[in-house]
Amino acid sequence: MQPSALPDLAHTDAKPVHWLATAAAMAAVVAAAGMLQPEAVTATATASESHVATQHGGAPARTAPDPAGVTFPLDCGTAGQTVAESAPGDLDGDGVPETVAVVRCAAGSGTPPSGIYVLTQRSGAAPRVVATLVDPAQKLSVTDLTVRDGRISATLLGYSSAEVPRCCPDELDHAGWQWKGNAFIKTSDPAGSTARAT
């Protein structure tokens, strides 16, 4: 056996006192790291954070319904449905958010007609459709969906006649909906429906 050219390593013949010193040094490093944690990591929320996380009566804030997995009243055959856009917001002023979803058939190409649906969700229940604002039977495409201050806004693209190619809608409507009493009321911008430059 050939002797090693390297000197003997001190740690290969460690005594219990060495292990105690190493453990004490490691404990000091861990304790120092724990004291240097940023303030944001604390588990105690400030009063303003607690207010944001709760709603009337101190109950935890509810999240808006998730449109994934909801079956919409849209006949797509075997193609399936796709949620093109969605936006959350409290539409009826009750402090519980709803979700507005633009849904269409999952076509391999082209842009099939869209529907706009309002979803709600009771505590512990699955999300459900409570209103249809645009029915796909109207043959409209929907873009620019927003929900702000209880008002739903969207751009609706349509066709003036059956002769207009389905690729190129020639009508445009900036539409809005707002909850009034017990129904969503549709409004248009002051210009109303307009011809769209193609």
Side-chain angles (χ1 to χ4, degrees):
M1 180 170 151
Q2 184 176 5
S4 171
L6 298 175
D8 287 342
L9 301 176
H11 71 272
T12 59
D13 190 27
K15 308 227 179 328
V17 72
H18 292 115
W19 290 113
L20 287 173
T22 301
M26 289 299 293
V29 168
V30 169
M35 293 173 58
L36 297 176
Q37 290 296 319
E39 186 177 331
V41 177
T42 61
T44 307
T46 65
S48 62
E49 290 168 334
S50 297
H51 178 69
V52 169
T54 60
Q55 61 185 26
H56 307 293
R62 302 237 316 256
T63 57
D66 184 358
V70 173
T71 302
F72 294 90
L74 176 62
D75 184 13
C76 295
T78 59
Q81 302 174 349
T82 185
V83 176
E85 294 183 69
S86 66
D90 181 7
L91 301 174
D92 56 5
D94 67 351
V96 178
E98 287 79 27
T99 297
V100 181
V102 175
V103 184
R104 62 179 176 235
C105 293
S109 62
T111 305
S114 302
I116 301 180
Y117 304 97
V118 178
L119 303 175
T120 189
Q121 184 174 16
R122 291 186 181 183
S123 183
R128 64 187 179 96
V129 175
V130 294
T132 299
L133 305 180
V134 172
D135 192 310
Q138 295 172 262
K139 308 282 188 212
L140 298 172
S141 296
V142 180
T143 62
D144 305 322
L145 175 73
T146 60
V147 175
R148 185 172 294 119
D149 299 325
R151 187 175 194 279
I152 305 161
S153 300
T155 301
L156 308 178
L157 304 176
Y159 306 91
S160 60
S161 71
E163 285 73 41
V164 176
R166 299 296 101 172
C167 68
C168 310
D170 64 341
E171 292 187 333
L172 178 142
D173 182 14
H174 295 288
W177 296 265
Q178 198 154 12
W179 182 257
K180 300 281 187 188
N182 59 357
F184 286 100
I185 305 301
K186 182 183 177 199
T187 59
S188 291
D189 69 357
S193 295
T194 60
R196 183 171 182 247
T198 55

